[in-house]
Amino acid sequence: MMAERVIVGISGASGAVIAVRIVEKLAALAGVEVHLVVSDAARRTLRLEHGPEALAQIAALSHRVYPQADIGAAIASGSFPVSGMVVAPCSMRTLSAIATGHTDTLLSRAADVQLKERRRLVLLARETPLHLGHLRNMCTVTEMGAIVMPPVPAFYHRPQTVAEIVDHLAARAIDLLALSRAPMARPWQGEKPDTDLSPTNQSKEWT
Ligand SMILES: Cc1cc2nc3c(=O)[nH]c(=O)nc-3n(C[C@H](O)[C@H](O)[C@H](O)COP(=O)(O)O)c2cc1C
């Protein structure tokens, strides 16, 4: 059976640790190939936020690593079969490039290819606060078929560590790729009746 190829693009927003966890999780899946492209700014955030060895660590877990300037690489073409792409984290610069089709880097070109081929593209867009241009770009890429998943933590599982928060975000992002395997993120099972203090005692569904 052919491996499921996933492109992981890392751009220079804060949250490089999420990308590291995504690569680690994908690499641990049998039958999944990680194709990695890292922007110049992300090389910096990986070093700043995760340490000098971060890039080498995730490169070692990847099937292929592409230079950001190599716009002739396999992942720049729609004829190269991949299951989808996640950009984690996705900077506002990269978001804007994808929204406008300004695909002058391999990362933005590969993202553009996913959209034109109607494949999954998951963008962990990271900035705060947001101006209208950021919001408009998110609308535009959503209209074009991308899934915008800002890396906003969930607290209903009562995470005890930053690592747990990062792990949950990485799992949710991978689940959005809809690979042919069971979901990774621990599902919310609903409140236990004895902990439900709401006046109506209605059960709630959270995602
Ligand atoms: C430590 C650090 C943190 C940054 N955090 C963000 C961020 O959260 N969101 C963002 O859009 N840009 C952020 N930036 C700015 C981007 O790195 C910058 O806009 C860069 O040009 C993005 O290029 P790229 O999209 O090719 O990776 C950060 C830069 C640094 C050095």
Side-chain angles (χ1 to χ4, degrees):
M1 206 177 77
M2 208 173 90
E4 283 188 287
R5 295 178 176 136
V6 175
I7 304 172
V8 177
I10 311 180
S11 67
S14 189
V17 63
I18 304 168
V20 171
R21 197 69 194 105
I22 287 174
V23 172
E24 287 171 346
K25 278 177 170 292
L26 286 171
L29 294 175
V32 170
E33 283 180 6
V34 175
H35 291 249
L36 184 67
V37 55
V38 181
S39 78
D40 296 340
R43 287 172 185 267
R44 191 162 163 174
T45 50
L46 276 165
R47 199 174 57 244
L48 272 167
E49 297 185 345
H50 209 270
E53 305 302 327
L55 184 56
Q57 280 168 15
I58 53 175
L61 295 173
S62 301
H63 184 76
R64 282 185 75 173
V65 183
Y66 303 89
Q68 166 76 320
D70 185 8
I71 43 88
I75 58 171
S77 170
S79 64
F80 185 69
V82 302
S83 299
M85 175 171 181
V86 56
V87 183
C90 181
S91 72
M92 294 303 104
R93 197 210 70 78
T94 289
L95 173 72
S96 154
I98 298 167
T100 54
H102 189 77
T103 57
D104 61 344
T105 63
L106 181 60
L107 199 163
S108 54
R109 167 64 186 168
D112 197 64
V113 165
Q114 306 317 303
L115 294 177
K116 84 183 175 73
E117 300 294 331
R118 309 298 194 267
R119 297 175 187 151
R120 286 282 165 123
L121 175 64
V122 179
L123 305 176
L124 274 68
R126 214 303 323 182
E127 189 47 278
T128 193
L130 298 162
H131 63 57
L132 188 56
H134 298 148
L135 293 165
R136 286 201 169 121
N137 284 335
M138 288 187 203
C139 287
T140 301
V141 296
T142 302
E143 284 165 350
M144 294 195 296
I147 299 175
V148 177
M149 184 204 134
V152 178
F155 295 98
Y156 45 82
H157 285 311
R158 300 197 182 191
Q160 303 297 304
T161 62
V162 173
E164 280 180 53
I165 292 173
V166 168
D167 200 73
H168 188 68
L169 288 167
R172 292 279 285 139
I174 291 170
D175 286 348
L176 287 173
L177 288 169
L179 302 176
S180 57
R181 57 203 67 233
M184 276 195 175
R186 187 154 61 100
W188 175 249
Q189 304 287 0
E191 282 180 286
K192 294 194 189 87
D194 61 341
T195 60
D196 183 357
L197 303 176
S198 68
T200 55
N201 202 30
Q202 286 172 343
S203 65
K204 301 186 187 78
E205 292 282 331
W206 305 90
T207 57

